[in-house]
Amino acid sequence: MSTTGQVIRCKAAILWKPGAPFSIEEVEVAPPKAKEVRIKVVATGLCGTEMKVLGSKHLDLLYPTILGHEGAGIVESIGEGVSTVKPGDKVITLFLPQCGECTSCLNSEGNFCIQFKQSKTQLMSDGTSRFTCKGKSIYHFGNTSTFCEYTVIKEISVAKIDAVAPLEKVCLISCGFSTGFGAAINTAKVTPGSTCAVFGLGGVGLSVVMGCKAAGAARIIGVDVNKEKFKKAQELGATECLNPQDLKKPIQEVLFDMTDAGIDFCFEAIGNLDVLAAALASCNESYGVCVVVGVLPASVQLKISGQLFFSGRSLKGSVFGGWKSRQHIPKLVADYMAEKLNLDPLITHTLNLDKINEAVELMKTGKCIRCILLL
């Protein structure tokens, strides 16, 4: 029975207010409008971004909302004017769109599409939501809202992928893996034989480690306060790991001692201002590069001594690993299918959507790198 053009009733994990747990509810998902796509979400990752939303009552979000942005699914129906996907196509959801028309999309070095800013309204382009629950409109999140069995997304935030790709694996390419791996390959442009340090060994940080290894780094130092992450980091390419809490000197001093001149490429993959300052100070003072991969709090200013830059260090931002989303994501999926990339070590747990609060608790323990939710 075709559902095209009809409202679909399905389950979603709704966040009704800041600090509340997820609530599994029946929602109504409206048909896609012009240039929109309705997707049957098959798998979605619980990313660190959602964990930050849950842990903060001060983020500028509108409630109630359906979170989730690291997803993969199958196109159920399309709105008027959609030409790049059709019903039945397997797709990756993209929190970072690629409109193909703005200055960033048209620049070979840019990927921060101007249409991303529209997502801050948490509504579709016409200023309305496609989700309703108990007669109340529910806000979208991150252009995607994948914690719902069906979601409606703009065509520019959808990438068609290989028809046989396992969605429960490649959904990681929707955010975490691409963000970390690309930070090393595209943003930092790690060079063969170089020395790298990765601060934070969660899913994104471990993906940075994988990117550094793929780029030919000779030495990859993992830094984390959770020693349980060290084994996995070394399996993926870290040559050694440090816990700052075990050191008698600040981490930047230890890294300078270990390398004689500081680190070539440092990556902050947590979203912590103090860690970022330490990562920058760990860089080689003449040519070291520090890349901000973690999402930093917008309300707090970064305080760094200007002296750190006098000698030549550089500090760079990175979003989605520098990939042009619709253009590059299908290629990354193809690389996974060709066994050039291995996502499996990043997935430590798999649960159904109705167990999402259990997944949150697993992430809090630090023993879970990425939990995939099946819908």
Side-chain angles (χ1 to χ4, degrees):
M1 179 179 173
S2 175
T3 51
T4 301
Q6 300 179 25
V7 171
I8 291 178
R9 289 176 174 80
C10 64
K11 289 183 179 179
I14 294 180
L15 206 58
W16 288 102
K17 61 182 180 179
F22 287 105
S23 178
I24 303 297
E25 307 278 2
E26 182 180 83
V27 299
E28 296 175 342
V29 183
K33 294 187 179 181
K35 295 292 186 179
E36 296 175 359
V37 180
R38 188 160 62 182
I39 297 167
K40 169 68 181 83
V41 182
V42 174
T44 181
L46 179 60
C47 183
T49 301
E50 275 81 26
M51 295 302 295
K52 287 198 172 186
V53 170
L54 295 173
S56 174
K57 296 181 181 180
H58 306 292
L59 291 176
D60 190 20
L61 278 184
L62 299 170
Y63 296 85
T65 183
I66 297 174
L67 300 183
H69 67 283
E70 192 176 69
I74 299 169
V75 175
E76 176 270 336
S77 61
I78 58 176
E80 181 183 353
V82 172
S83 60
T84 57
V85 295
K86 63 183 185 302
D89 284 347
K90 282 188 175 181
V91 293
I92 293 280
T93 63
L94 304 168
F95 75 89
L96 182 66
Q98 185 182 353
C99 72
E101 299 173 352
C102 69
T103 55
S104 182
C105 286
L106 293 174
N107 187 298
S108 62
E109 296 297 314
N111 76 324
F112 192 63
C113 177
I114 194 170
Q115 290 295 324
F116 174 78
K117 297 177 182 178
Q118 196 272 325
S119 69
K120 293 183 179 180
T121 67
Q122 293 180 243
L123 296 169
M124 300 302 284
S125 298
D126 65 353
T128 65
S129 172
R130 302 291 171 266
F131 301 116
T132 308
C133 180
K134 300 175 182 176
K136 186 176 181 64
S137 181
I138 308 297
Y139 285 103
H140 292 247
F141 174 78
N143 289 311
T144 48
S145 292
T146 56
F147 292 167
C148 187
E149 291 177 325
Y150 286 84
T151 189
V152 177
I153 303 176
K154 289 185 288 187
E155 181 183 15
I156 58 174
S157 287
V158 176
K160 180 181 176 180
I161 60 169
D162 190 325
V164 295
L167 300 181
E168 72 280 5
K169 305 284 189 182
V170 298
C171 63
L172 285 183
I173 294 176
S174 175
C175 179
F177 173 77
S178 302
T179 295
F181 192 77
I185 300 292
N186 301 322
T187 310
K189 294 180 171 59
V190 169
T191 52
S194 60
T195 298
C196 302
V198 182
F199 292 73
L201 298 174
V204 172
L206 291 174
S207 298
V208 174
V209 169
M210 294 167 73
C212 293
K213 181 180 179 181
R219 197 171 182 185
I220 305 169
I221 304 168
V223 181
D224 203 294
V225 295
N226 184 350
K227 291 182 180 179
E228 292 187 15
K229 296 180 179 180
F230 291 175
K231 181 180 179 182
K232 179 81 72 173
Q234 289 173 320
E235 289 173 1
L236 294 175
T239 54
E240 53 221 293
C241 294
L242 298 173
N243 181 346
Q245 295 177 340
D246 292 342
L247 307 176
K248 295 179 180 179
K249 294 193 293 186
I251 183 67
Q252 57 265 39
E253 293 183 22
V254 172
L255 290 172
F256 257 85
D257 290 344
M258 290 172 63
T259 57
D260 294 329
I263 305 293
D264 299 326
F265 301 98
C266 285
F267 301 86
E268 198 284 345
I270 302 169
N272 181 291
L273 292 168
D274 292 334
V275 175
L276 175 57
L280 179 63
S282 300
C283 287
N284 180 287
E285 61 184 3
S286 180
Y287 50 79
V289 176
C290 180
V291 179
V292 185
V293 190
V295 179
L296 295 167
S299 59
V300 182
Q301 297 298 308
L302 179 62
K303 293 182 179 180
I304 297 177
S305 169
Q307 201 66 26
L308 286 175
F309 296 104
F310 179 71
S311 54
R313 287 181 179 91
S314 61
L315 178 63
K316 302 183 72 173
S318 181
V319 60
F320 199 46
W323 305 107
K324 288 185 180 290
S325 57
R326 302 189 79 205
Q327 178 181 337
H328 290 134
I329 292 316
K331 296 176 183 178
L332 288 175
V333 172
D335 283 346
Y336 171 76
M337 298 301 291
E339 299 184 353
K340 295 178 182 179
L341 303 173
N342 186 11
L343 303 174
D344 297 19
L346 301 175
I347 302 170
T348 53
H349 299 78
T350 303
L351 295 171
N352 291 328
L353 179 66
D354 59 3
K355 303 290 186 184
I356 188 170
N357 287 314
E358 291 182 26
V360 170
E361 293 307 312
L362 281 169
M363 289 287 284
K364 288 179 180 178
T365 66
K367 297 179 180 179
C368 177
I369 296 172
R370 191 57 107 242
C371 180
I372 302 301
L373 300 168
L374 303 178
L375 290 80

